[in-house]
Structures are given as C-alpha cells and as structure tokens.
C-alpha cells in the first residue's frame, strides 16, 4: 500500500504549473499553511504594496501633488497600491529654488507629508539635473567657480537638510550623460568646477544627511558593451575609486515598448555589473509606452514589465521598483509624445491593466525566492523538499516558474 506521502506526491506532480501554485497546494491543510502569506498565491487580490512588503522591495510611483485635491481617485489609489513615492517635479531645483535665495517647499512638502501619513518611503528626485535646460537660468548664468560652488552647496544643504531622516534616497545627479551620448553634459558646473562637480554634489549631500542613500540616476544605460553604458560605468567606478559616498545607481527604464525590444538577460547583466560593485540598483522611472490600441499591445506591455522587473528583482541588490506615474490618465508621455501610448499600470479609468498584474507577479516571485530564516517553520525549505519529491515522481519535469 502506498504511503500517504507518496499519494500526496502524486497530487503535487499534477499541480506543477508554477512555483506559487506548488506552494499553495503543498501547504494547504498543513500547519505550515500560515507560513505562506495569502498574498503570494497566484489568485490573491492583494495590492502591490502588500506583496512588495513581503518581498522587502519598495514599490513606488512618481507623483504630482497638484493632483492630490483635484482627482478623487488619485490619492486613494496611490496609497493603496504603493509604499514609495518620488516627486515627479516638485523636488527639482527649478521647482524648489527658482531664484537666488528663494525657496518654495509647498509642493515638495505635500509629497513628503502624504508619504509620512501613509507609511511610504520617499525618493528625492533630483538635486541636480545635468542637462543645462533643466538648470535654472540664474545658475546657468553664474560666471565664477566660487559663486557657483557656494550656490550648489547652499542648494543641496538646504534641500537635503530640510528632509534629513525623512527622504530615504536621493537622485543626487540626474542624467549626467548627454542625451543618447557617452560624454558628460558640459553644463555650467562642468565648465566652472570640472567633471568633479558630480563628486562634490554627492559629498555635500552626504554631509547634509548621512543616513540617506545617494544615487546616480541615468536613462538608457542598460546594454553592457555600448559606448554609453561603458561611459556611465566608468563614471561610477571613478566615483567609487575616489571614495565618493555613492550608494546606488538608478536605472530609469523608460522603455519604448514594442518598438525597441528589451532583452531581459541583457538588462540583468547591466544590473549585475553595478551590484557587483557593491551598489544598490533601483528601477527609478519605469514606463512602457505602447503603439497600437488593441489588447495585444497591453499583453505585450505586461510581458515586458514582468520580464524586465523580474530580471532586476532576481538580483538581490536590485531592491526597489518605481514607475513614472501609475495611471494612463496622468503621464508625461502624453505631454511629450501625444496621447494613446498608455504606458502605465492603471488605465485612464483607474482599472488595473495586464501590466499591473505582471508587476505584482514579479514582486510575488521575488518574495517566494527570498531566503527564509532557518528552522522548522521554514516554508520554503519544505517547498524545496516537496518540489524535489514531485520532480522525482515526474522525471524530466522541473518546477516551472
Ligand atoms: O506646471 C506648468 C504649468 O503651469 C505650465 O502651464 C506648463 C506650460 O508648459 O508647464 C507646466 O510645467 C511642466 C511640468 O512638467 C508639469 O507638467 C513643465 O513645462 C515640463 O517641462 C515638466 O516636464 C517634466 C520633465 O521631467 C521636465 O522636468 C515631466 O513632467 C516629468 O515627467 C519629467 O520627468 C523626467 C525625470 O525628471 C528625469 N527622467 C526623464 C523623465 C521624463 O522626461
């Protein structure tokens, strides 16, 4: 007579469509069932932030505080689904510090206060956007290195100091490389202070809040071996070699979905290149604009989200994901490229799109892959053992993920 264990193995082998399904099935009815949170089941209806909390990975969105009071669905959706926010524009130099000695913190404070009231992390974006067009005119006009250095110091000390202990991570410098190029922007800081202005900015920020994680944020640097990637990597390595307090790299991840294919393995190789240096990597500004209005485009978008986010989250030091907005109703893409690209997770009526579920799935996978504390209550150890049992009973079939 076959044992209870063997009969259980038969049942299990039939249910190997995914690791999560295995987890759910194997633990049902055992004392360990409670060890696998319901939010990790494939049919769970948990929010992104509930799953993200289990994965230990903040899930974020860029936010526009001008919408807080005018769009009744904006804040409720944001605080239900996300546990991290980035000001889309409110923390930028031109917004905060539009004239010498003039600061306006109203919009930026609104973002931080909303986050604090709802248990959300804040990413600060950005202390210095290297593109001259994003530097206020009065700064671009500064003709003396001493005056410019004093202004840079005052700006960073004032802004980082105001939010010390409240903003967890700063994009200290945004987009240091020229648009699509492989050389530094020769902006006013470069001209007056030399390329070392980037290191200076990091050092000033670190002194103003030693607890904040400091990032270099860049776009289109996810294909190792390209001139642009190599230039960015060389910059990062130089900063590390000079003892600059840089803690992470932000990969913006604005993807031209459907137009330019993204190879997840290549993306992961880029991530690993930075984590191998001991740096955190965050996806900081993801969106996937799509051509075409049909459901196919949204399915492809979901596939891209799941593969790219999954590729990053498979690397332990890739430890946060932020989208550049969350509803297709409010996206910079419309303003820049026109309407219809639907780049985000919710549609214009705040219905969840396939990309939403794809992101949630990627977060679930990260949570399921997390090492468990050793001991009898280790659900994943039990899963591994039962998975091995099931594999033995179905030769040639691995656990599909
Ligand atoms: O708020 C004013 C409004 O009063 C005025 O009537 C209108 C006229 O143009 O402009 C409005 O400000 C615009 C602002 O977005 C708010 O919508 C600015 O012109 C416009 O330049 C600004 O664009 C932002 C852009 O950065 C430049 O700062 C986008 O919203 C924002 O999504 C975009 O974000 C960047 C990241 O910071 C860095 N990575 C790329 C990403 C996308 O470009």
């Amino acid at each position: 007579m076959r044992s209870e264990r063997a009969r259980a193995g038969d049942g299990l082998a039939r249910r190997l469509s995914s690791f999560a399904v295995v987890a759910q099935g194997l633990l049902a009815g055992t004392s360990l069932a409670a060890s696998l949170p319901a939010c990790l089941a494939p049919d769970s209806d948990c929010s992104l932030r509930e799953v993200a909390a289990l994965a230990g990975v903040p899930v974020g969105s860029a936010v526009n505080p001008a919408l807080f009071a005018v769009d009744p669905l904006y804040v409720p959706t944001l605080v239900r689904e996300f546990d991290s926010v980035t000001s889309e524009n409110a923390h930028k130099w031109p917004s905060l510090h539009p004239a010498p000695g003039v600061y306006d913190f109203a919009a930026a404070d609104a973002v931080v206060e909303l986050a604090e009231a709802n248990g959300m992390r804040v990413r600060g974006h950005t202390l210095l956007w290297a593109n001259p067009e994003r530097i206020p005119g009065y700064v671009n006009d500064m003709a003396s290195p001493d005056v410019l250095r004093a202004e840079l110091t005052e700006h960073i000390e004032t802004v980082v100091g105001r939010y010390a202990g409240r903003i967890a991570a700063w994009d200290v410098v945004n987009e240091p490389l020229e648009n699509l190029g492989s050389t530094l922007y020769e902006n006013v800081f470069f001209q007056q202070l030399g390329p070392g202005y980037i290191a200076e900015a990091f050092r000033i920020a670190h002194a103003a809040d030693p607890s904040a994680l400091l990032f270099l944020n860049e776009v289109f640097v996810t294909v190792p071996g390209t001139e642009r990637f190599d230039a960015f990597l060389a910059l990062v390595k130089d900063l590390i070699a000079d003892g600059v307090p840089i803690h992470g790299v932000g990969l913006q991840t604005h993807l031209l979905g459907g137009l330019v294919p993204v190879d997840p393995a290549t993306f992961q190789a880029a991530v690993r290149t930075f984590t191998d240096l001991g740096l955190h990597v965050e996806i900081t500004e993801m969106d996937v604009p799509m051509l075409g209005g049909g459901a196919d485009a949204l399915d492809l978008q979901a596939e891209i989200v799941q593969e790219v986010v999954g590729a990053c989250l498979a690397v332990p030091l890739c430890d946060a994901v932020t989208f550049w907005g969350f509803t297709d109703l409010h996206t910079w893409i419309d303003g820049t490229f026109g309407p219809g690209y639907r780049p985000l997770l919710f549609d214009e009526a705040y219905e969840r799109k396939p990309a939403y579920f794809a992101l949630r799935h990627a977060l679930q996978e990260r949570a399921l892959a997390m090492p468990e504390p050793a001991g009898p209550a280790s659900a994943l150890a039990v899963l591994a053992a039962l998975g091995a049992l099931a594999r033995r009973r179905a030769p040639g079939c691995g656990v599909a993920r």
Side-chain angles (χ1 to χ4, degrees), residues 138-316:
Y138 74 90
V139 180
N140 275 330
D141 290 344
M142 287 180 169
S144 129
D146 288 347
V147 173
L148 187 63
R149 181 172 282 119
E151 193 67 27
L152 179 67
T153 305
E154 183 210 287
H155 177 77
I156 295 178
E157 284 180 347
T158 304
V159 174
V160 176
R162 179 179 184 87
Y163 299 109
R166 302 167 72 196
I167 289 192
W170 277 102
D171 291 334
V172 176
V173 176
N174 181 56
E175 298 174 29
L177 296 181
E178 279 204 32
N179 204 11
L180 301 181
S182 55
T183 53
L184 293 178
Y185 272 112
E186 297 196 3
N187 59 29
V188 66
F189 297 101
F190 181 96
Q191 288 167 10
Q192 306 254 355
L193 308 179
Y197 82 88
I198 295 173
E200 288 194 44
F202 273 84
R203 290 197 165 101
I204 301 164
H206 185 61
D209 182 3
S211 72
L213 293 179
L214 304 183
F215 282 71
L216 192 63
N217 196 46
E218 188 53 279
V219 66
F220 302 139
V221 284
T222 52
V223 183
T226 58
E227 215 179 324
R228 181 171 171 87
F229 181 89
D230 289 348
F232 185 68
L233 178 60
L235 171 59
V236 169
K237 284 182 169 173
D238 282 351
L239 292 171
I240 294 172
D242 290 346
V244 173
I246 176 173
H247 308 112
V249 160
L251 303 178
Q252 292 188 6
T253 321
H254 294 287
L255 298 179
L256 306 172
L259 278 182
V260 179
V262 187
D263 174 34
T266 303
F267 191 92
Q268 188 176 83
V271 171
R272 286 192 195 281
T273 303
F274 300 116
T275 61
D276 284 352
L277 300 173
L279 296 174
H280 296 273
V281 169
E282 295 195 16
I283 291 177
T284 51
E285 304 186 15
M286 188 161 183
D287 47 23
V288 189
M290 301 300 296
L291 287 176
D296 284 0
L298 297 189
D299 287 343
L300 175 58
Q301 183 180 54
E303 199 177 304
I304 293 168
V305 167
Q306 190 165 323
E307 289 188 350
V308 172
V309 175
C312 198
L313 293 184
V315 181

Side-chain angles (χ1 to χ4, degrees), residues 57-73:
V57 171
V59 61
S61 175
V63 296
N64 177 0
L67 297 169
F68 289 179
V70 299
D71 179 344
L73 292 178

